[in-house]
Each structure stands twice: as C-alpha cells, then as structure tokens.
Amino acid sequence: MLKDFKPVLGILLRFIIIYLVLLFAYQFYLNSGKDSGLDAFSRIIANQVTSLQNAIGYPTELYDDVRNEQVWFYVKQNYVTRMVEGCNAVSVIILFVSFVFAFYKGIKTFVFVGAGLLTLYLMNLLRIVGLNIVMSDYPDYGKMFHDFIFPAVIYGTVVVLWLIWIKFFALKHENS
C-alpha cells in the first residue's frame, strides 16, 4: 500500500526539506545582522520603493529606526507606513521555491524559479508602493488594503505561478 503513495510522499518530503533548509538559511541571515537595524534585503526594497514613488509623483523619504529594525516611509510630508523585515516577501518566496523544487524537472525548474522570483519581487514592490499610496491618499482604507487586498495579491500571484508550474511543466508528459 505504501508503494502507491511513494511519489506523493517523495514530493512532500522534498518540499519539507527544501522549505526547512531555506527557512533556516534565511533565519541565519537575519541573525547575522541583528543589531544593525533593518536587514539589507529589506533596505534595498525600501530604497527601490522610495525611488519608484518619487518617479510617479509621490515625494518619499526614508527615516531609519535602527533600534526597532524598521524604516518609515515619509510620503507627502507624512509618515504613512513602516517597512519591517516581514514586508520583503521572503517567507512567500521560500514557499514558492520549495513547492516548485518539490516537483523538480531539471533545468526548466531553475528557469521557472528565476522568472517566478522576478515576478514576485516586482509584485511585492508594487504592493508596497500601492499600500503607501493608499495610506497617503485614502488612510481610511489602509487597514483593509494592508490586511486583505495586498496579501491576496501577493499570495494570489504565488498560487497562479504554482498552477502554471504544475499544469505546463511539472505534470506535462515528455512525449506529448
């Protein structure tokens, strides 16, 4: 009976191992810069969000709050949001990568993961820009967008990418 479930168990085991390795590696990265404020990856994203907002007419500056490991977005003369480590979407990216590699299909796995990472990175930048615009211009809707709309966008993107991976790559027969 266990023989029937062997492929499923193999995929599940690969997912769990890859997820845990990536999770521990990311935690090691975070712990290595614990006392220097916001981590470098999150800071890069915050700087890119600032540049993008300035380019589209939302004058933005960053205010460092090293002690609390965050930066504040100062948009249109107001502190509208803060960027913390959780805003960088790395946890979502780890889930995405773990799932795709659980259904490993050679070199196309790496290509798809690369394209997916770029897509998720851009979606996350746009998510943060969108949240800052909502918080700046429509603060009454800020909680709804932060808690529901924008998480649905980023997680929805992951699910769509997973579906594309499964339908067009992972389960596609080599002879068809």
Short mmCIF file of all heavy atoms in Angstrom, two decimals, residues 25 58-59 66 68 71 81 87 117 129 143-144 151 153 160 166-167 170 173:
data_model
loop_
_atom_site.label_atom_id
_atom_site.label_comp_id
_atom_site.label_asym_id
_atom_site.label_seq_id
_atom_site.Cartn_x
_atom_site.Cartn_y
_atom_site.Cartn_z
N ALA A 25 18.32 28.93 6.59
CA ALA A 25 19.31 29.81 5.95
C ALA A 25 18.89 31.27 6.08
O ALA A 25 19.72 32.14 6.38
CB ALA A 25 19.50 29.43 4.49
N TYR A 58 5.01 60.88 -5.95
CA TYR A 58 4.75 60.76 -4.51
C TYR A 58 6.07 60.97 -3.79
O TYR A 58 6.79 60.01 -3.52
CB TYR A 58 4.15 59.39 -4.16
CG TYR A 58 2.68 59.32 -4.45
CD1 TYR A 58 2.22 59.03 -5.73
CD2 TYR A 58 1.74 59.58 -3.45
CE1 TYR A 58 0.87 58.98 -6.00
CE2 TYR A 58 0.40 59.53 -3.72
CZ TYR A 58 -0.03 59.24 -5.00
OH TYR A 58 -1.38 59.20 -5.27
N PRO A 59 6.40 62.25 -3.49
CA PRO A 59 7.69 62.54 -2.85
C PRO A 59 7.86 61.73 -1.56
O PRO A 59 7.03 61.81 -0.66
CB PRO A 59 7.63 64.04 -2.55
CG PRO A 59 6.36 64.55 -3.13
CD PRO A 59 5.55 63.41 -3.62
N VAL A 66 16.75 52.31 13.58
CA VAL A 66 17.64 51.16 13.73
C VAL A 66 17.27 50.32 14.94
O VAL A 66 17.22 49.09 14.87
CB VAL A 66 19.12 51.62 13.81
CG1 VAL A 66 20.03 50.45 14.12
CG2 VAL A 66 19.52 52.30 12.52
N ASN A 68 14.50 49.68 16.35
CA ASN A 68 13.32 48.83 16.15
C ASN A 68 13.35 48.05 14.84
O ASN A 68 12.34 47.46 14.44
CB ASN A 68 12.05 49.68 16.21
CG ASN A 68 11.80 50.23 17.58
OD1 ASN A 68 12.00 49.54 18.58
ND2 ASN A 68 11.40 51.49 17.66
N VAL A 71 12.22 50.90 8.88
CA VAL A 71 12.34 52.23 8.29
C VAL A 71 10.93 52.73 8.04
O VAL A 71 10.02 51.96 7.75
CB VAL A 71 13.17 52.27 6.98
CG1 VAL A 71 14.61 51.90 7.24
CG2 VAL A 71 12.57 51.40 5.91
N THR A 81 3.72 54.69 6.43
CA THR A 81 3.89 53.27 6.73
C THR A 81 5.31 53.03 7.20
O THR A 81 6.18 53.89 7.07
CB THR A 81 3.65 52.38 5.49
OG1 THR A 81 4.59 52.72 4.48
CG2 THR A 81 2.24 52.52 4.96
N CYS A 87 7.95 42.60 5.47
CA CYS A 87 7.42 43.22 4.25
C CYS A 87 8.20 42.82 3.00
O CYS A 87 7.79 43.16 1.90
CB CYS A 87 7.47 44.74 4.37
SG CYS A 87 6.52 45.41 5.74
N LEU A 117 10.70 34.32 -9.23
CA LEU A 117 11.29 35.22 -8.25
C LEU A 117 11.22 36.67 -8.73
O LEU A 117 10.90 37.58 -7.95
CB LEU A 117 12.74 34.83 -7.95
CG LEU A 117 12.95 33.53 -7.18
CD1 LEU A 117 14.43 33.23 -7.04
CD2 LEU A 117 12.28 33.58 -5.83
N VAL A 129 4.34 49.98 -2.79
CA VAL A 129 4.01 51.29 -3.37
C VAL A 129 2.51 51.54 -3.26
O VAL A 129 2.07 52.61 -2.84
CB VAL A 129 4.48 51.38 -4.84
CG1 VAL A 129 3.90 52.60 -5.53
CG2 VAL A 129 6.00 51.41 -4.92
N LYS A 143 -6.18 49.87 6.48
CA LYS A 143 -6.20 48.57 7.16
C LYS A 143 -6.73 47.47 6.24
O LYS A 143 -6.17 46.38 6.17
CB LYS A 143 -7.02 48.65 8.44
CG LYS A 143 -7.04 47.32 9.20
CD LYS A 143 -7.51 47.50 10.61
CE LYS A 143 -7.59 46.21 11.38
NZ LYS A 143 -6.45 45.35 11.33
N MET A 144 -7.80 47.77 5.51
CA MET A 144 -8.37 46.77 4.60
C MET A 144 -7.35 46.38 3.52
O MET A 144 -7.17 45.20 3.22
CB MET A 144 -9.63 47.32 3.94
CG MET A 144 -10.25 46.36 2.95
SD MET A 144 -11.73 46.98 2.13
CE MET A 144 -11.09 48.37 1.23
N PRO A 151 -2.27 41.34 0.65
CA PRO A 151 -1.87 39.94 0.86
C PRO A 151 -2.51 39.00 -0.17
O PRO A 151 -1.87 38.07 -0.65
CB PRO A 151 -2.36 39.61 2.27
CG PRO A 151 -2.35 40.93 2.97
CD PRO A 151 -2.76 41.93 1.91
N VAL A 153 -3.17 39.76 -3.18
CA VAL A 153 -2.43 39.96 -4.44
C VAL A 153 -1.13 39.14 -4.43
O VAL A 153 -0.85 38.42 -5.39
CB VAL A 153 -2.13 41.46 -4.67
CG1 VAL A 153 -1.13 41.66 -5.80
CG2 VAL A 153 -3.42 42.21 -4.97
N VAL A 160 -1.06 31.40 -8.63
CA VAL A 160 -1.10 31.38 -10.10
C VAL A 160 0.20 30.81 -10.66
O VAL A 160 0.19 29.97 -11.57
CB VAL A 160 -1.39 32.79 -10.67
CG1 VAL A 160 -1.12 32.86 -12.16
CG2 VAL A 160 -2.82 33.20 -10.36
N ILE A 166 2.61 23.57 -12.33
CA ILE A 166 2.04 22.22 -12.32
C ILE A 166 1.43 21.87 -13.68
O ILE A 166 1.71 20.81 -14.24
CB ILE A 166 0.97 22.08 -11.20
CG1 ILE A 166 1.63 22.15 -9.83
CG2 ILE A 166 0.18 20.79 -11.35
CD1 ILE A 166 2.62 21.04 -9.55
N LYS A 167 0.63 22.77 -14.22
CA LYS A 167 -0.09 22.46 -15.46
C LYS A 167 0.82 22.38 -16.68
O LYS A 167 0.67 21.48 -17.51
CB LYS A 167 -1.18 23.50 -15.72
CG LYS A 167 -1.97 23.24 -16.99
CD LYS A 167 -3.24 24.01 -17.02
CE LYS A 167 -4.02 23.83 -18.30
NZ LYS A 167 -4.45 22.50 -18.59
N ALA A 170 5.38 20.66 -14.61
CA ALA A 170 5.59 19.52 -13.73
C ALA A 170 4.83 18.27 -14.15
O ALA A 170 5.36 17.17 -14.08
CB ALA A 170 5.22 19.89 -12.29
N HIS A 173 3.68 15.54 -19.80
CA HIS A 173 4.45 14.36 -20.22
C HIS A 173 5.48 14.75 -21.27
O HIS A 173 5.21 15.58 -22.12
CB HIS A 173 3.53 13.28 -20.76
CG HIS A 173 2.59 12.75 -19.73
ND1 HIS A 173 2.99 11.96 -18.68
CD2 HIS A 173 1.25 12.93 -19.55
CE1 HIS A 173 1.97 11.66 -17.92
NE2 HIS A 173 0.89 12.24 -18.42
#
